[in-house]
Amino acid sequence: MSLFRYQALSETGKKVQATIDAVNLQEAKQKLLRLKVIAIRLEEVSSQDVAKALTKGELLALTREIARLLQAGLPLYETLAALEEKYRGMKPHAMLLDLSSKVKTGRSLSHLLKEHSQTFDLLYISMVANAEKTGRLTESFEELAQLITRQLQVRKAIVGALLYPALLSCFCLIVFSSLLFFVVPSLSELFEGRNLHPFTKIVFAVSAWACACKTFFLFLFLLFVAVLFTACFSKKGKEKCMQIAAHLPFFKPLLAKVALIRFTRSMATLLEGGVPLLGALTQARTSIYHVDLERLVATAEQKIAEGTHLSLCFENQPLIPPLVPRMFAIAEQSGKFSFTMQQIAQIYEEELEIALANFANFAQPILLLILGGLVGFVLLSVLLPLTDVGSFAT
């Protein structure tokens, strides 16, 4: 079945817009004729428009609005229809049109969200499915909005800490490349046949070697741009880059902490929504995006199914800080799993923010010193021969 959007005239002569399901355009026309609807415009909603993925920010805004409208007492269909009208001509419109028209026929929202898996992950869908069973749809959308907000805050903290050092590193590379490929070669003829200082010889030799291998360096630059583009815009490329970065010295503890925060936040949200512990582990594992931690959680699921305590499954694990199994043990005694998971996430979010701030404060002066040292060394090597006036006279 395809979705068709049509405009028609009401009894008062006002233009109205609605949708209808049909196998093809001809069947859609026949359905409208049977309904005695005079359509002045009829078009199929393209699958590309329906399948457009929303960004995390757009998903957060949409989730918040659904929660607010449900909280105001609107039924689910009326909520989706109201948002469909609001977002007409915008990116989420086709998806909301598809959801509202199918919810109207009686299909469950969680099953419909699976058709838009590029926007809604398994955790989101599971939360909605569980809310439909327990009648906590409004609360679940509020919890999902809070979860996405925290995820965006963590992402913003990481990007904010790494952006300036990355830009400064690029600037260092541009300056150094300009000196090696343009400035120093233009001065080589000036000092040809002269007895040069060792510093100057080193710089000229490096510049000559770089110019001779410029094709190779150009290839490396294009390869780096391709990898960066793939990491930013390709899902598989992003996952592969994350796997590689998870084993690098600096990024290994950082990414492990981010994955732990994501895991405990997801667990807290799922447990608060009424999902059992074992089911929450299974669903939260899909939101970790860290291969080693995912493997650890999968092993923990098997052990818990056999009767092992949660705290014992995470003891003496290199990726898990010692505090985590201790807090799990306390949660097992008190029964406050959701609250404990929230506290763990908050503790390590604060640690992550401090670590990123320290890294930014440390990296900026180091990069400035490197940039100043490189530029100063090249300039000194060029200026030293110029101080030898006698050689110019000769």
Side-chain angles (χ1 to χ4, degrees):
M1 297 287 283
S2 300
L3 186 66
F4 292 85
R5 183 192 297 115
Y6 68 89
Q7 283 186 352
L9 295 175
S10 65
E11 294 179 356
T12 59
K14 184 179 179 182
K15 285 185 180 180
V16 294
Q17 182 170 299
T19 58
I20 190 171
D21 290 322
V23 175
N24 50 42
L25 184 63
Q26 188 63 32
E27 183 180 341
K29 292 179 179 178
Q30 292 174 358
K31 281 188 175 183
L32 291 175
L33 286 174
R34 286 196 294 268
L35 294 171
K36 298 181 180 180
V37 174
I38 302 175
I40 58 176
R41 184 179 179 184
L42 177 64
E43 60 183 2
E44 183 179 359
V45 179
S46 67
S47 58
Q48 292 181 349
D49 290 338
V50 175
K52 280 183 179 178
L54 303 183
T55 64
K56 278 288 185 181
E58 293 169 338
L59 180 60
L60 173 60
L62 184 61
T63 305
R64 279 177 174 168
E65 290 178 335
I66 292 174
R68 287 168 184 164
L69 291 175
L70 290 174
Q71 194 173 19
L74 270 71
L76 179 59
Y77 168 70
E78 296 295 336
T79 296
L80 294 174
L83 291 175
E84 182 268 324
E85 290 181 1
K86 177 184 176 182
Y87 283 98
R88 280 179 185 171
M90 301 172 68
K91 189 177 178 181
H93 176 252
M95 183 187 69
L96 288 169
L97 184 63
D98 180 60
L99 292 176
S100 60
S101 63
K102 292 178 180 178
V103 165
K104 188 178 180 180
T105 63
R107 296 181 62 182
S108 67
L109 179 61
S110 57
H111 284 87
L112 295 175
L113 295 182
K114 293 178 183 178
E115 300 175 4
H116 302 274
S117 57
Q118 68 282 356
T119 296
F120 303 99
D121 57 21
L122 183 58
L123 175 64
Y124 198 108
I125 296 169
S126 300
M127 283 287 296
V128 174
N130 188 69
E132 289 174 335
K133 296 175 183 177
T134 59
R136 297 182 67 257
L137 201 58
T138 303
E139 293 82 354
S140 292
F141 275 107
E142 290 175 351
E143 291 163 4
L144 283 168
Q146 293 174 4
L147 176 64
I148 298 171
T149 300
R150 296 304 300 174
Q151 290 176 349
L152 289 176
Q153 287 174 350
V154 172
R155 181 188 295 181
K156 184 179 179 181
I158 295 173
V159 172
L162 299 180
L163 182 60
Y164 183 74
L167 292 176
L168 195 56
S169 300
C170 292
F171 180 69
C172 290
L173 183 63
I174 291 171
V175 171
F176 191 62
S177 300
S178 300
L179 291 172
L180 284 183
F181 289 103
F182 300 103
V183 177
V184 174
S186 65
L187 297 173
S188 59
E189 295 181 0
L190 180 63
F191 301 111
E192 190 174 355
R194 296 180 55 199
N195 187 20
L196 301 176
H197 192 278
F199 282 177
T200 310
K201 290 181 180 179
I202 292 172
V203 171
F204 277 21
V206 171
S207 176
W209 172 77
C211 291
C213 302
K214 58 185 177 182
T215 305
F216 173 72
F217 285 111
L218 180 62
F219 171 76
L220 284 182
F221 174 75
L222 294 176
L223 181 63
F224 173 76
V225 172
V227 170
L228 187 64
F229 183 84
T230 304
C232 293
F233 299 102
S234 170
K235 185 177 180 180
K236 291 183 178 179
K238 188 182 295 185
E239 291 176 355
K240 189 65 177 178
C241 289
M242 290 293 288
Q243 292 177 10
I244 295 172
H247 295 88
L248 297 178
F250 169 74
F251 291 101
K252 184 176 181 179
L254 179 67
L255 292 177
K257 191 167 292 186
V258 171
L260 179 62
I261 293 169
R262 194 181 291 119
F263 169 67
T264 50
R265 280 286 176 196
S266 301
M267 284 289 294
T269 304
L270 289 165
L271 292 170
E272 186 71 23
V275 180
L277 178 61
L278 196 58
L281 283 169
T282 304
Q283 295 170 20
R285 177 162 51 90
T286 62
S287 65
I288 296 176
Y289 304 116
H290 191 285
V291 177
D292 296 332
L293 192 56
E294 286 178 14
R295 193 179 297 116
L296 176 60
V297 174
T299 305
E301 291 173 28
Q302 297 175 358
K303 291 182 179 179
I304 291 172
E306 296 170 358
T308 308
H309 289 288
L310 177 66
S311 57
L312 297 177
C313 298
F314 289 89
E315 282 185 345
N316 303 320
Q317 298 292 338
L319 290 175
I320 305 298
L323 178 63
V324 174
R326 286 179 178 272
M327 295 191 71
F328 284 171
I330 295 171
E332 288 170 339
Q333 295 173 7
S334 63
K336 297 180 179 179
F337 275 104
S338 177
F339 176 76
T340 303
M341 293 292 179
Q342 290 177 358
Q343 295 304 308
I344 294 172
Q346 189 171 350
I347 289 170
Y348 289 104
E349 279 175 359
E350 292 173 356
E351 282 192 9
L352 179 65
E353 290 174 0
I354 293 172
L356 290 173
N358 291 336
F359 168 74
N361 294 334
F362 175 77
Q364 292 173 14
I366 293 298
L367 288 172
L368 288 173
L369 285 174
I370 293 173
L371 176 60
L374 289 174
V375 174
F377 180 79
V378 174
L379 290 178
L380 181 63
S381 66
V382 173
L383 292 175
L384 278 175
L386 296 178
T387 61
D388 188 5
V389 182
S391 63
F392 279 100
T394 304

